[in-house]
Amino acid sequence: MARTEQVLVLEPQHELKFRGPFTDVVTATLKLTNPTERNVCFKVKTTAPRRYCVRPNSGIIDAKNSVNVSVMLQPFDYDPNEKSKHKFMVQSMLAPYDMTDMEGVWKEAKPEELMDSKLRCAFEMPLENDKTHESESNKTVSSSTSSVKTELSSLPKSSSASLDDGEGKKIMEECKRLQMEVLRLREENKQIREDDGLRKRKVTSMGAPHSSSSGMATSTMRDEGLGTRVLAFCVLFFVIGVIIGKLAL
């Protein structure tokens, strides 16, 4: 009895092409499409199982769905004069509605229920022109990527540099203003101390009757001098705190 015609649609249909160099694993993709209204079981077999790794090598394809099978050729010494004799077979069957064990289904399947398609393997080495073109393309992409990275990296640096210059000028102006303020406060404090000494001398010459009032005046002037110094230090610490905050940002 003739076998049932394959219901799965294979892409590619007849040949799996593996493009070198073969010093590393080379992968070809086999697409299996199920156009029917039934689920389909499948298996992928090869005549050289030690040379290939197939994932997935079996499974179920739901109705109106497809599966991509990766066929990975292991590294080997390529001989252009040797033709590949490797072949693959995709075996399939309609999945029973009450299926619970896939392995059991394959074992119990009747020959007329099985469908299969065969594919041969072909090995290709890239031409010298292709190698040159790929190398030039890689160089172009690499140079373009590096130039873009350079431009992107230079923009933030210039922006940050200009911001740093602007902040530096502001800080320098703030420092100058702070120095002038400190000098002014020092002069005021010095003048207060001189006035305080002059009042002390006057009080001493005026005698005891005025000792209480002079003491109050002296105390008042000391408080004024102390208050001025405290104010000066507060201003100093405030400005320093503002400068530190700007530098931290």
Side-chain angles (χ1 to χ4, degrees):
M1 183 180 293
R3 286 181 175 271
T4 307
E5 185 178 355
Q6 176 69 271
V7 296
L8 296 179
V9 178
L10 280 63
E11 298 179 32
Q13 293 183 351
H14 306 294
E15 187 177 68
L16 284 174
K17 292 184 178 181
F18 297 89
R19 190 176 180 84
F22 301 101
T23 54
D24 200 356
V25 175
V26 179
T27 303
T29 301
L30 173 62
K31 184 177 181 180
L32 305 179
T33 302
N34 177 13
T36 70
E37 302 292 337
R38 295 271 303 272
N39 293 349
V40 175
C41 303
F42 76 92
K43 277 185 177 182
V44 180
K45 299 180 179 181
T46 179
T47 57
R50 295 184 179 180
R51 299 284 299 275
Y52 298 90
C53 180
V54 182
R55 292 291 182 273
N57 58 2
S58 63
I60 300 176
I61 306 176
D62 295 335
K64 304 297 183 180
N65 278 327
S66 60
V67 170
N68 286 329
V69 178
S70 296
V71 182
M72 292 164 276
L73 173 63
Q74 303 305 303
F76 71 102
D77 294 329
Y78 174 70
D79 184 359
N81 297 321
E82 181 180 355
K83 292 185 179 181
S84 173
K85 297 179 181 180
H86 303 164
K87 293 182 181 180
F88 277 85
M89 182 175 68
V90 178
Q91 200 170 39
S92 63
M93 63 177 294
L94 296 176
Y97 293 106
D98 57 348
M99 184 185 68
T100 56
D101 180 16
M102 186 182 300
E103 290 300 324
V105 169
W106 284 108
K107 290 179 180 179
E108 297 173 2
K110 298 178 182 179
E112 60 270 17
E113 295 176 341
L114 299 177
M115 300 167 282
D116 60 63
S117 299
K118 295 180 180 179
L119 299 94
R120 60 182 178 271
C121 297
F123 301 150
E124 296 179 350
M125 286 295 290
L127 300 175
E128 292 299 326
N129 293 337
D130 294 341
K131 290 183 180 179
T132 305
H133 179 70
E134 289 177 2
S135 177
E136 291 177 354
S137 300
N138 292 333
K139 288 181 181 179
T140 303
V141 172
S142 178
S143 60
S144 301
T145 305
S146 61
S147 63
V148 170
K149 287 182 178 179
T150 303
E151 292 176 0
L152 291 176
S153 60
S154 63
L155 286 176
K157 288 182 180 178
S158 61
S159 302
S160 61
S162 62
L163 290 176
D164 291 342
D165 293 341
E167 290 294 333
K169 290 179 181 179
K170 291 182 180 179
I171 292 172
M172 291 299 294
E173 293 175 359
E174 195 73 22
C175 288
K176 289 180 180 179
R177 191 187 65 81
L178 177 61
Q179 289 175 356
M180 296 299 294
E181 186 71 19
V182 170
L183 290 175
R184 187 182 64 81
L185 292 174
R186 284 180 180 175
E187 290 296 327
E188 290 183 359
N189 196 23
K190 181 180 179 182
Q191 187 65 36
I192 290 172
R193 287 199 301 269
E194 291 176 355
D195 293 343
D196 190 18
L198 181 60
R199 287 189 178 89
K200 283 181 181 180
R201 289 193 292 273
K202 286 183 179 180
V203 169
T204 303
S205 62
M206 289 176 67
H210 304 283
S211 61
S212 60
S213 60
S214 64
M216 292 178 62
T218 303
S219 176
T220 302
M221 296 306 298
R222 286 177 180 175
D223 292 341
E224 289 178 356
L226 180 61
T228 304
R229 288 193 293 272
V230 171
L231 177 60
F233 283 121
C234 288
V235 173
L236 177 63
F237 290 144
F238 174 76
V239 175
I240 292 174
V242 171
I243 294 173
I244 293 175
K246 290 182 178 180
L247 291 175
L249 293 175

